[in-house]
Structures are given as C-alpha cells and as structure tokens.
Amino acid sequence: MLQWLGETQTDVSAEGMTGEPNHPLLIEEGTVMTRADVERATALLSDALLSLVRPGQLVGSLIHRGLEAALLLLAANRSGVPITFFDRSLPENEWRRVIEGAECALLVSAPGDGPLAARLGSGRVPTWEVRPDEWASLPALSTVVRRTESDAPAIVVFSSGTTGDPKGVIRSIVALRRAGDNFRERHDLGDGDVLGDLASFRFVTSSGTTYGALCSGAAVSFHAGDGDGLASVAEWAVRTGVTVLRMQAALMRTLIELETDLRGSRVRAISIAGETLFGSELERLRALLPPGCEIVCAYGSSEGGGIASARFPAGTAIPAGRIRFPRPAHVRIVDENLEVVRDGEVGEIVSTKQQSAGYWKKPTLTSERYIPVDDGTVLYRTGDLGRFADGDTLEVLGRSDSQVKVRGQNVELTEIEGMLLEHPDVRTAAVVDVPRHGGGTSMIAFFTPAAGKLPATGTLRRHLGERLPAYKIPARFVVLDRLPTTPAGKIDRSRLRTSSADGEAERDLREPRTLVESALVEQMRRLLGTEELGIDDDFFDMGGDSLSAIEFAVWASRRFGIHLSTTVLVANPTAVSLARQIERQDARHEKTIGILRDCEEPVATLVLIAGGGDSIVSQRPLSKAIRGEFRIIGVQGRGIDDRRRTETSVTAYAERAVRELLALDPTGPYMIGGHSFGGIVAQEMARQLELQNNNVLAVVVIDTAAPADRRPPGFLRSTLRRARGWRDEVRDRRLMFGVRHDRRETLRIRKGIVFAVHVRALGNHVARPCRAPILVIRAEGSAQENDQRFGRWAELTSGGLSVVSTPGTHVSIKDVPYVGGAAAHIDALFDDVRPCRRAVARAGT
C-alpha cells in the first residue's frame, strides 16, 4: 500500500504500494478506484491543499463520509495538514463555535455546499468546494513532502458537545497506522477482503480501520446511505462483496431494528464499537448474520483507542447481560484519588496505553485527563465506570454520570437498560434520571418495541421486578418509534432527559386525602411497582394492563365489600374518581359493558368487543386513538373479573351484550366492532340489533377471519360437543381451584378458561348475514392462509365488504403504536357512513 501508510518513516511519497496498479482499493456506488487511481488522486489533492494552507494548519471538511472523505484524509496526511470532519447533524451555531475555537485555516465542502461553509466560517475562514474535474487536471508537484515530526497531528476528532464543550482529540499518522495494524491483525485482513464501512470519518475508528484495510491490501467499500438509508445495507454488502463489516453500536441497533438480513452475504466478521453492548442485542444480531460469522465487540475511545475487545466466534455462547472483556494488562480501575481499587469494586477505568497526544488547543483539559504517575506511565482517565469481575474480565458500567442516586441508593442506569433488553419484545432501551416533582430523583425508561410486538408497561415492570429491587424500577415507561441519537450516533440521553423533566415538572402529584383514596393509591402503587402515583394519575397510563386491572378489581371488591368490575375501573381509572364511586356506592356494577369514552354530542355510538378471553381494557388504546365524534362503549365476556360462567355460544354472548347496550344507549345509531373473536360477536350483534329495527351503520372486524362455512350439527354431534366442552371446563376449573396459585396466576387461568369457552363457542357458531356493510381491518403480519377467509365476510353482509391492511400483528394491531392505523380506518369509514347529527334528527329536521 502507500509507503507512508505502511512504513514508520517521515517520507510520505506515493511509492511502495503493494499489489498490482489495477488492484481495487476504494468502492462506492459503482465507482471503483484502483491503487493507481488512489495514488494519483491523493497526490493531486495533496498538492491542491498545500496551495491553500501550510503544513500544521487545521483543515475542516464538510465531506465527512464515503470515498471522497477517505481521499481527503489520505491527501491531508500525505501533505502534513491535519484535518477534521464535520457532519451536518448539529446546529450551525454549534459547528461555528467549534470552527472558531479550533482555528480552522480552511473549510472544504462538496459542490453546492459553499454557502454553508461560508456561513460556518462566518466569512473569516476561506472555503474550497472540491470539484474533481478541477483538481484532477492539476500537474503533480515534483517535490516530495516530508513531515518535520512523525507524531505531528494527522486528524482531529471533535465530540458533539452533548456532555460539555466540544473537544478535539488529536491523532498522529503513527497512531492511525498503529490502530490500523491492530484492526488488520484482529480480523486477519488480506488481499481478498472487502471492509464495509457504514460510519462517518467523524469517528476516529473510521480513519484507523481504513488505514488497516489499505495497509493490508484489502478494499474498502463505503455505503452511501445515511440514517434511514441503512435499509439497503444487505443489498450493498452482497453487491460489493463485503467480508468484514465495521459499525458503531448505534448503527448496529438500527440494523437490528430494520431486521437487515445479511445471511446471503460474504460477511465473515462484524466489528462493533461504541456504547455498552448487551448479550441479548448480539443474539438478535447473530440471527441476521451468515453461518460462521464472528462478532467482535470493542471498547475504547477516541483518546485511548481500542482499550479492550471480546470475540464471539460462530457457535460460541454469548453471555447474558453486559458484554465483558478479557482483562487488558494496560487497564486499571481507580478511585477518585487515582488509587487502584480491589477486584470487584467499582471505579473509573484508566488506560496506560494512549493513541492520542491530547486535545486540540486545550492544554488544560489535556493535563486533566492525561496524568503522569510515579512509575513513568501516563494514565488516561476515560470517565467510564467499571470493575474487574471474577478477576479476569473487565465489566464496563457506562459513563460516570450514568450512576444516579434513587431513594438514597446507587443505581446504574445501564444495568436497568440491559435488563429491559433481555425482554424479547424490546428492541432498544434507554433509562434517564430526571428531577422528581417535590424533590428527589425519578427514572424514566424509553424503549422501542420489537417488530410486530408491543409489551404492556405492566409486563415490563414485572419483568424488571423479577430481576431488580423495587427502587431500580423506573417510574414511567415511554414507547418511541426510534430513540434519538447524537451526531456521534450514541443515544441522546440529554434530549430524553430534557423532555422527561419537562413532563415531570408539569405533573402535580397529589397525595390521598381520604382513607378510601389512600387504600386505592397504595394498591395501585403496589400493582404498578412505583411510588410516583397520585390520586389524579390514570391507572392504565401508568402501566396498568388487563391482568393488573382484574387483580385490582378483585382486591377492591373484597376490600370495600362491593362487586367492582373492570368496566367500572376503565370508566374511573384514577383514585380520586374511583373513590368517589365507592363512597357513593355507585361501584356495584355487574354488567360487562362500560363507557370507554364519552362525548357531549355524539354522532354515533361505537361498540368495541374484546377478543376471546380478553377484558375491556384491551380496547382502551383504540378508543383513545379514534378521533370521530363517538361515544365509545366496550364489551367483555362474563367470567373475566368474577367467577360467573361466560356464555357458551356466540349468539347468547351477543344477546346479552345487546341488552346491556340498549339499556346504556337505546337510540343509536351504532357502529359495532371487535377484535379477533370479538369480530364474530360484533357481526352477530349487528344482526340482532337490525332485527329490533336499530340503525347499524357498519360492522368493523379487526383481524378476524370469517367463521368457517358449516352446516348445523346434528343432535348427537351437538350433545357430544357440549359434553366435551363441559368436561374440559370442569378440568380447567379443577386446575384453577384445586392447586395453590398466586393471585396473578389464578387470574391468568381464569382468563384462559374464558378463552377456551369462547373458542368452543366459535367452533359451534353458524353465522347469518347482516345488512350493515363490513370493514375488515387486516394486520399486515397476519398469517397468509387467512387471506381467503377474510374475503368470506362478503357472504355475511348485504351491504358490501371492504378489506384494508395496517401495520402490526394479530396482537399488536390494537396497541400503541400500531393502533393508530386501525383507528384511521375506522375514522375514514365513519366519514363515509356518517349520519346526521342526532341533535338535528331529534328536532325533526
């Protein structure tokens, strides 16, 4: 390769390359540069730079990724001009501050970005738009540029400034070459390899690994996509023959989130660096990689270079929890006085092996972080917490500011994140600390769900509660489509912390005022695993799910000597409103129907029937997402929150629901909808309402296949079927009441019994047509074999059938964030069949 890359000397001429002149070196989107092309381009760019600046002056480049950025780096290093790369993800005023403080002598940009470079330089820094057609025609200088010092700065990497003022880490050409040698040896790079680079040259690791590839004769392939463009990574890796793939942890999480399937590629090794990694993440990644692919996790920093690494060859087990690294000889764990702590104790990670000479134009900060000690070594203070576990492994616990105090106890936020990531339905997670209203510290967990999944908050609380003490469980859980990231690709915790703190400041955590309120709040806090719940907090918004709602209703019924169903809790989800109902003796409600959302002047009543064995709580997200002028009423089966037997036929279920509906709203008009088994009940309810001359605008079937076409069973078959059903139910009830279970397991079994009865009812049901049109909302993740059965709904309506699709699976279609798609289809249907306002109708106009 280039002599000044492969040799430790000051001569940076373009001689001494290994391989043939036509050997491919740099690849990007159909452009392939051979060794000869790179030689000439590097020489010409170097000459052009030296015509604009002097060696030693810092050049800033707005071209920060891809083939052109690599050429700029090589040319700057050849000419003795240090270079720094800027991307455009930070606000202009932030980069303007960096450029001014760094004393940049030139700003380089791509064609068309000249005005941006001029603004960033505030008119005081010269700019140069790199146009290959111009510099490629320049004659090469006959002189050979020589460095005056082998450790002169080659690249300066600035932080994003999210944890303070941006600081520039200096790397010399020798340090870059050493980092390249380490990467080359770690992955055994050779002539037949292609290094795939997804990152920006803002990361010093991109520079080092590029050097490692070029020194070994391997080619480097740059992916042109950015951000959401990562969806094409698999196709790019296959097309360009990538064998070793390098990326930051944040990019890895994006690829997992996109379920990027690399199994058809030639990738034999994947190298990941950046934030703390967890075994659950690597297991998900491994499922996307070719057989035999090795995973290498690196821990390091711009200042310290690669501090430690862990290898996981194909077929080896990946441990749960944080990834630990074999104990490096050059790493120490120290206390605040830089005294070495005992193995197992937590302290700051320091390294005696540095790849950086310090910080650009910041000598004071350099002296604070690079500290000489008595034995002649220099300690680089990483600012990371860690410990030596089991004597032979290094466990990195995260930044020192990731350790917070909650209720007087030290809490590692990354520990909670790791436990969340072990849940199969959680894709990515971040936990931040925020000031709590009234004093103290609160923790908020942000997460993105796995594809087609959406775990309930209560589920996540219980998942953590089985692994962590109560004080380590976050007060709130917030689902996001994607976690925000810094320009460096790390999770932007400051943005999460700011938004969370704003939300906390607005909350008025009112304490109980009466004995009833006190009892209700205490029980809600116990069930939800949080102390940060007041009398005005919504039980379900704070994480209550179907099972916890049933458990709460059972407890309240016993505590206050009443029968309180989940329908009452859904209508009164705060302690203050529920206490009012109990004190007024209004909570005695044995109906299985309740108002999910009321409206002052509803145009229609929307009825939502829960799926088989599910409670009214399951329809709450949909009721909140719908925007139409509806009164929304929920229906659930009997036996969900009490010991009453549920109906054994769809017809009987619908008859009971119609009676309760007409008692609650006798006028209509109605739209009847249901999820899964509830969709079958919805169609039967519509038919029965029509027989009583009620106005049914439409039926909404949410991911429900039409019941199979069958003839009514004969007497003998019917009797045997009922006998089998009775026998199975008796067995289930013996299982439930004959064995000791905790309350939650008992409730789960009860729901299972109701579900089994509903399944048998579905098997016996003979559907008959209704007049109302039917809308089928199909989950895109539903089983393909149901496609034909969705279409059979046309046989059960004389009003016409429409089938639409929305993201999600059969389960997640009714939950955040996928529920918005179903709600939008219902709102659109309502606009199509919208009746006149009932107020107008009643006036007789």
Side-chain angles (χ1 to χ4, degrees):
M1 197 39 54
L2 296 175
Q3 185 175 355
W4 50 273
L5 287 178
E7 303 289 342
T8 53
Q9 59 181 19
T10 57
D11 183 355
V12 292
S13 67
E15 300 174 356
M17 299 181 74
T18 61
E20 298 297 325
N22 62 350
H23 179 67
L25 288 187
L26 302 180
I27 307 168
E28 183 182 53
E29 289 303 313
T31 300
V32 178
M33 295 192 73
T34 64
R35 187 200 73 182
D37 296 331
V38 173
E39 253 189 348
R40 173 172 171 76
T42 302
L44 294 174
L45 269 176
S46 175
D47 293 346
L49 283 173
L50 288 175
S51 69
L52 299 170
V53 296
R54 298 189 305 276
Q57 290 185 308
L58 183 64
V59 171
S61 173
L62 300 184
I63 305 170
H64 65 95
R65 65 185 311 124
L67 185 148
E68 289 186 353
L71 290 175
L72 280 169
L73 172 69
L74 298 177
N77 294 169
R78 173 190 174 93
S79 60
V81 174
I83 190 169
T84 185
F85 294 93
F86 303 130
D87 65 23
R88 298 168 66 169
S89 55
L90 273 185
E92 288 187 16
N93 61 327
E94 293 291 332
W95 282 134
R96 193 176 294 115
R97 183 160 57 96
V98 172
I99 290 167
E100 182 178 344
E103 300 177 8
C104 285
L106 177 69
L107 284 180
V108 179
S109 69
D113 281 342
L116 171 63
R119 288 198 305 273
L120 293 176
S122 303
R124 295 190 294 271
V125 180
T127 62
W128 175 38
E129 290 189 30
V130 177
R131 299 180 182 276
D133 56 337
E134 295 179 0
W135 56 261
S137 62
L138 294 174
L141 297 178
S142 57
T143 59
V144 174
V145 180
R146 294 181 181 273
R147 292 188 181 277
T148 55
E149 300 178 12
S150 61
D151 60 351
I155 186 171
V156 179
V157 180
F158 282 91
S159 66
S160 59
T162 55
T163 58
D165 288 338
K167 51 187 181 292
V169 178
I170 304 170
R171 284 285 189 95
S172 66
I173 183 68
V174 173
L176 286 179
R177 188 187 62 80
R178 189 182 303 126
D181 288 343
N182 292 338
F183 186 82
R184 176 183 59 186
E185 293 170 6
R186 185 183 306 145
H187 295 289
D188 193 24
L189 289 175
D191 290 351
D193 281 309
V194 177
L195 171 66
D197 198 321
L198 294 172
S200 161
F201 277 88
R202 275 203 61 243
F203 303 110
V204 73
T205 45
S206 283
S207 307
T209 54
T210 297
Y211 271 52
L214 298 182
C215 289
S216 66
V220 182
S221 176
F222 299 101
H223 182 253
D226 191 6
D228 292 337
L230 290 175
S232 61
V233 164
E235 184 273 333
W236 158 77
V238 172
R239 174 167 42 84
T240 59
V242 172
T243 58
V244 178
L245 187 59
R246 191 200 67 80
M247 66 183 71
Q248 301 298 110
L251 292 178
M252 175 205 72
R253 292 179 177 123
T254 300
L255 293 183
I256 294 174
E257 193 171 348
L258 295 173
E259 296 188 337
T260 304
D261 190 349
L262 292 164
R263 288 174 295 180
S265 70
R266 294 177 54 215
V267 175
R268 62 174 177 82
I270 184 165
S271 178
I272 310 163
E275 297 178 277
T276 302
L277 296 167
F278 297 90
S280 56
E281 295 180 298
L282 299 190
E283 287 289 2
R284 292 171 184 172
L285 175 66
R286 178 176 273 180
L288 302 172
L289 300 177
C293 184
E294 180 182 49
I295 300 175
V296 179
C297 302
Y299 162 64
S301 64
S302 300
E303 295 93 335
I307 294 176
S309 64
R311 309 178 74 100
F312 299 100
T316 59
I318 298 177
R322 294 187 189 89
I323 294 302
R324 296 180 179 181
F325 305 92
R327 183 170 184 162
H330 57 88
V331 169
R332 303 176 188 176
I333 308 295
V334 300
D335 59 19
E336 60 272 14
N337 298 317
L338 298 183
E339 297 290 335
V340 175
V341 302
R342 290 178 298 182
D343 286 0
E345 293 184 357
V346 176
E348 183 180 1
I349 300 173
V350 298
S351 173
T352 60
K353 185 179 76 173
Q354 296 84 41
Q355 298 283 3
S356 169
Y359 298 101
W360 183 261
K361 305 292 184 183
K362 288 184 180 288
T364 302
L365 180 60
T366 298
S367 62
E368 290 174 358
R369 299 292 291 274
Y370 296 84
I371 302 174
V373 290
D374 295 339
D375 60 4
T377 60
V378 176
L379 298 181
Y380 163 62
R381 304 187 61 172
T382 66
D384 292 332
L385 293 176
R387 63 185 167 207
F388 288 128
D390 304 325
D392 60 351
T393 60
L394 171 64
E395 184 177 10
V396 182
L397 302 176
R399 299 294 300 172
S400 56
D401 57 5
S402 71
Q403 185 178 79
V404 299
K405 242 185 203 334
V406 177
R407 303 180 207 166
Q409 303 280 350
N410 288 329
V411 175
E412 298 288 345
L413 298 179
T414 56
E415 178 187 15
I416 305 171
E417 293 170 0
M419 293 299 179
L420 278 174
L421 289 170
E422 289 182 5
H423 193 286
D425 295 345
V426 173
R427 181 71 72 194
T428 57
V431 179
V432 299
D433 60 302
V434 296
R436 189 175 62 187
H437 183 74
T441 299
S442 176
M443 293 183 297
I444 313 296
F446 295 85
F447 71 96
T448 63
K453 304 288 185 179
L454 187 70
T457 299
T459 301
L460 296 181
R461 286 188 190 280
R462 285 187 294 277
H463 172 79
L464 293 180
E466 294 169 356
R467 295 161 174 80
L468 298 170
Y471 67 85
K472 291 187 177 183
I473 299 177
R476 287 195 288 144
F477 293 77
V478 180
V479 61
L480 298 175
D481 290 334
R482 180 166 296 179
L483 297 180
T485 56
T486 67
K490 298 181 179 180
I491 296 173
D492 194 339
R493 300 174 193 277
S494 62
R495 279 176 59 188
L496 293 175
R497 191 174 287 113
T498 300
S499 62
S500 299
D502 291 343
E504 286 291 291
E506 295 170 0
R507 289 186 63 212
D508 184 11
L509 195 66
R510 286 206 300 159
E511 293 295 329
R513 303 159 301 178
T514 67
L515 291 177
V516 175
E517 288 180 354
S518 295
L520 293 174
V521 167
E522 181 180 352
Q523 181 66 3
M524 287 181 176
R525 288 173 176 174
R526 186 189 71 79
L527 288 174
L528 301 180
T530 179
E531 294 297 319
E532 303 191 21
L533 182 146
I535 61 174
D536 300 305
D537 287 317
D538 188 301
F539 177 79
F540 301 100
D541 289 344
M542 294 295 291
D545 59 10
S546 179
L547 277 176
S548 58
I550 297 171
E551 188 173 353
F552 184 79
V554 171
W555 169 86
S557 297
R558 293 174 178 172
R559 174 68 172 77
F560 299 107
I562 60 175
H563 176 71
L564 186 145
S565 68
T566 51
T567 57
V568 176
L569 180 57
V570 167
N572 301 275
T574 66
V576 65
S577 63
L578 189 57
R580 192 179 302 119
Q581 299 297 316
I582 293 172
E583 289 164 351
R584 292 176 182 173
Q585 299 296 302
D586 290 339
R588 290 185 177 86
H589 182 66
E590 296 188 0
K591 295 181 178 179
T592 54
I593 190 169
I595 297 176
L596 291 169
R597 190 187 77 188
D598 213 341
C599 183
E600 288 187 5
E601 293 187 29
V603 178
T605 293
L606 172 62
V607 182
L608 297 176
I609 298 101
D614 218 339
S615 79
I616 190 175
V617 177
S618 64
Q619 300 304 311
R620 195 169 183 268
L622 181 57
S623 70
K624 296 181 70 174
I626 290 170
R627 302 187 180 213
E629 297 169 294
F630 291 115
R631 170 185 288 126
I632 303 180
I633 292 175
V635 180
Q636 67 183 32
R638 281 182 178 170
I640 295 292
D641 52 10
D642 56 33
R643 296 189 180 186
R644 293 181 296 170
R645 291 186 62 180
T646 192
E647 292 84 2
T648 57
S649 74
V650 172
T651 302
Y653 187 141
E655 286 173 352
R656 185 260 307 164
V658 166
R659 285 196 305 272
E660 294 183 3
L661 170 63
L662 294 177
L664 195 61
D665 181 1
T667 59
Y670 309 102
M671 285 179 62
I672 315 294
H675 170 254
S676 191
F677 171 76
I680 307 292
V681 177
Q683 191 272 339
E684 175 61 22
M685 279 186 67
R687 190 187 69 82
Q688 293 186 18
L689 284 166
E690 289 171 346
L691 289 176
Q692 300 179 40
N693 296 319
N694 292 286
N695 183 10
V696 180
L697 302 175
V699 177
V700 179
V701 173
I702 302 176
D703 207 55
T704 307
D709 183 20
R710 57 172 62 86
R711 290 177 297 173
F715 174 78
L716 180 60
R717 223 172 74 198
S718 176
T719 302
L720 290 173
R721 185 174 291 172
R722 283 199 300 270
R724 280 198 304 270
W726 176 82
R727 182 193 63 201
D728 292 345
E729 187 171 344
V730 168
R731 182 199 60 201
D732 293 341
R733 288 183 180 273
R734 283 178 178 170
L735 173 65
M736 177 176 176
F737 299 112
V739 182
R740 279 191 168 273
H741 299 285
D742 61 44
R743 179 179 295 174
R744 193 165 191 84
E745 184 61 23
T746 299
L747 296 174
R748 189 177 286 109
I749 293 173
R750 180 184 294 170
K751 290 184 66 176
I753 292 173
V754 175
F755 175 77
V757 175
H758 287 168
V759 170
R760 289 193 290 271
L762 176 59
N764 291 328
H765 181 56
V766 178
R768 286 166 286 183
C770 63
R771 295 191 300 272
I774 295 179
L775 170 68
V776 176
I777 303 177
R778 180 192 185 282
E780 292 176 355
S782 290
Q784 295 298 315
E785 59 266 22
N786 283 335
D787 285 351
Q788 185 176 0
R789 292 186 61 189
F790 283 129
R792 289 182 188 166
W793 280 109
E795 303 170 11
L796 296 176
T797 174
S798 59
L801 172 68
S802 300
V803 180
V804 296
S805 295
T806 190
T809 64
H810 181 71
V811 174
S812 66
I813 189 177
K814 59 185 175 57
D815 290 317
V816 178
Y818 304 107
V819 71
H825 287 305
I826 292 175
D827 284 327
L829 173 65
F830 177 59
D831 289 338
D832 291 339
V833 299
R834 183 186 185 96
C836 297
R837 279 187 170 275
R838 285 200 279 189
V840 176
R842 288 169 184 165
T845 60

